[in-house]
Amino acid sequence: MRRVLIRDPLFWIGLLLFAALMTLSVGNTLFRDGQVDQITNLYSADGTLLATSPLEPSSKHWLGTDRAGNDLLQLLIEGAKWTIGVCFTVAFVRIALALLIGVPLAFRGKRLYTGLRLLLDGFLIIPISLLALFILLPALLLTDPALIPSMSSRALLEVSVLTLLGLPALLLYLISETRQLLAQEFMLVARTLGGSPFYQFRTHIWPHLLPTLTIVFMQQFVQTLMVLIHISLFGVFFGGSLLLFGDGVAPTIFEWASQFGYYFLQFTALSWINHMFLVPAIALALLVFFANLLTSRLERAYRLRRQQLVHAPMQELAEAEAAATQLSDPFEPVRISTKP
């Protein structure tokens, strides 16, 4: 699988895009202290007022500015680490917890698995976005600016909720995959020879699960991003929603999904602000596209690898039969090439 991915240019394009976004975003935090330029008024050389925020795209501000005067290009660069980092963290923690909980349960009897499935099936009916909205709305609505909890506590709360909400489905999937591997003939031989469960997992199950988990990781990444987008449309932003003087709410950080929901709620009939929410919307669409691109390339590499494993024994058998028909001495040893 690694050989296929190394030779796949589309896989490297998607991977380098993610790396470039994270590098630019973290670099902006390290070298500019996470600052985003603000231009509230635009003046000419003689001091005449030309325009006020939100400014339309221009040569100085490629994507324009929002109502607060924030440069939207710099805003996207600063917020990339939050969007990618949160989705990456949630996907990674989900898989880690599913492995820690699911693999030991897969080695248990079928009765325990059946009971656990009946218990968790109810969580698969209700959409994750709806559950996240009901749980996070009262916890992240900040009404008093003087009593705002720390950013670390707010981020930890939302990451924990998003992780736990997506865990039941992933847990059932991982238990099912592990039990299918345990039913294979090579696992029956491993148990007959006295291999411990840890040895069976490390030697036989983990090499088979790893390619599947890389694909599942990207799927969980996209799912988390979609949940963030859905709840942002209802005014629940990552890191908290600050209640403004009136009926509106504002995000506390420049995370992409939060900015999309914030700008979408400001939708009016004005010329530039009417399309301002399209800036984070297009950025999110491209992020989902490249994440799905990585997923499709991983699935392709996994599929090609499985085809090679299936055809390799048949090819070796065909080589042996062809060599045997050409022997002058029937007891002459046959040399079989196992190189691909």
Side-chain angles (χ1 to χ4, degrees):
M1 183 173 177
R2 285 178 295 181
R3 294 180 181 179
V4 177
L5 292 177
I6 290 175
R7 300 173 183 175
D8 190 347
L10 293 179
F11 174 79
W12 285 106
I13 290 175
L15 195 63
L16 289 176
L17 176 68
F18 277 87
L21 284 174
M22 289 298 294
T23 301
L24 289 173
S25 185
V26 174
N28 186 71
T29 302
L30 294 177
F31 298 107
R32 301 184 71 240
D33 197 24
Q35 296 296 321
V36 174
D37 293 342
Q38 284 188 316
I39 300 93
T40 55
N41 298 317
L42 184 63
Y43 296 94
S44 62
D46 58 357
T48 304
L49 179 64
L50 299 178
T52 60
S53 295
L55 302 177
E56 297 183 2
S58 62
S59 58
K60 294 183 179 180
H61 311 286
W62 291 359
L63 299 180
T65 66
D66 60 7
R67 280 182 170 178
N70 297 311
D71 188 283
L72 291 178
L73 178 59
Q74 296 183 22
L75 184 146
L76 291 180
I77 293 175
E78 172 61 21
K81 65 176 181 293
W82 289 105
T83 304
I84 298 176
V86 169
C87 296
F88 181 94
T89 303
V90 171
F92 179 80
V93 176
R94 280 181 184 175
I95 292 178
L97 291 177
L99 283 172
L100 292 175
I101 301 173
V103 172
L105 292 177
F107 279 88
R108 302 295 180 180
K110 185 178 180 180
R111 182 178 299 178
L112 179 61
Y113 169 66
T114 304
L116 184 64
R117 184 173 182 177
L118 292 175
L119 177 64
L120 298 180
D121 272 344
F123 292 94
L124 307 182
I125 301 175
I126 305 176
I128 296 179
S129 301
L130 188 61
L131 292 175
L133 178 64
F134 289 155
I135 296 174
L136 295 175
L137 180 59
L140 296 179
L141 185 59
L142 309 175
T143 57
D144 189 356
L147 301 176
I148 297 179
S150 63
M151 181 60 204
S152 58
S153 62
R154 287 177 280 150
L156 180 61
L157 171 64
E158 188 159 356
V159 168
S160 302
V161 171
L162 295 177
T163 300
L164 294 177
L165 289 179
L167 188 59
L170 185 58
L171 185 61
L172 290 177
Y173 171 78
L174 188 59
I175 293 177
S176 177
E177 288 291 317
T178 306
R179 290 184 63 85
Q180 289 182 9
L181 290 173
L182 291 173
Q184 300 296 321
E185 293 184 1
F186 65 90
M187 292 304 303
L188 297 177
V189 175
R191 288 195 295 272
T192 303
L193 294 177
S196 64
F198 177 75
Y199 176 83
Q200 295 177 39
F201 172 76
R202 179 174 57 88
T203 307
H204 302 290
I205 296 179
W206 176 248
H208 287 82
L209 278 181
L210 184 58
T212 305
L213 290 179
T214 56
I215 299 173
V216 172
F217 174 83
M218 294 307 304
Q219 293 173 347
Q220 295 296 314
F221 181 96
V222 175
Q223 184 194 61
T224 305
L225 181 59
M226 297 308 297
V227 172
L228 290 176
I229 295 173
H230 291 163
I231 63 177
S232 71
L233 295 176
F234 294 92
V236 180
F237 307 134
F238 182 82
S241 304
L242 186 61
L243 186 63
L244 303 177
F245 292 101
D247 298 330
V249 289
T252 56
I253 58 175
F254 297 128
E255 192 270 324
W256 288 6
S258 301
Q259 294 299 322
F260 168 72
Y262 176 55
Y263 294 149
F264 186 80
L265 294 175
Q266 294 180 356
F267 192 90
T268 63
L270 298 179
S271 59
W272 163 235
I273 200 172
N274 187 37
H275 307 286
M276 190 171 58
F277 76 95
L278 292 177
V279 175
I282 294 174
L284 289 169
L286 290 175
L287 186 62
V288 173
F289 171 78
F290 281 103
N292 288 331
L293 177 65
L294 288 178
T295 305
S296 65
R297 307 317 290 180
L298 289 170
E299 291 175 346
R300 172 181 174 272
Y302 179 63
R303 184 174 61 253
L304 292 177
R305 177 58 179 168
R306 288 181 62 89
Q307 292 176 357
Q308 292 176 359
L309 293 177
V310 171
H311 293 312
M314 300 178 59
Q315 183 178 1
E316 293 178 5
L317 180 60
E319 291 180 358
E321 293 177 350
T325 58
Q326 300 175 0
L327 290 178
S328 58
D329 182 1
F331 297 101
E332 180 180 351
V334 180
R335 294 183 179 181
I336 303 174
S337 175
T338 59
K339 296 182 179 180

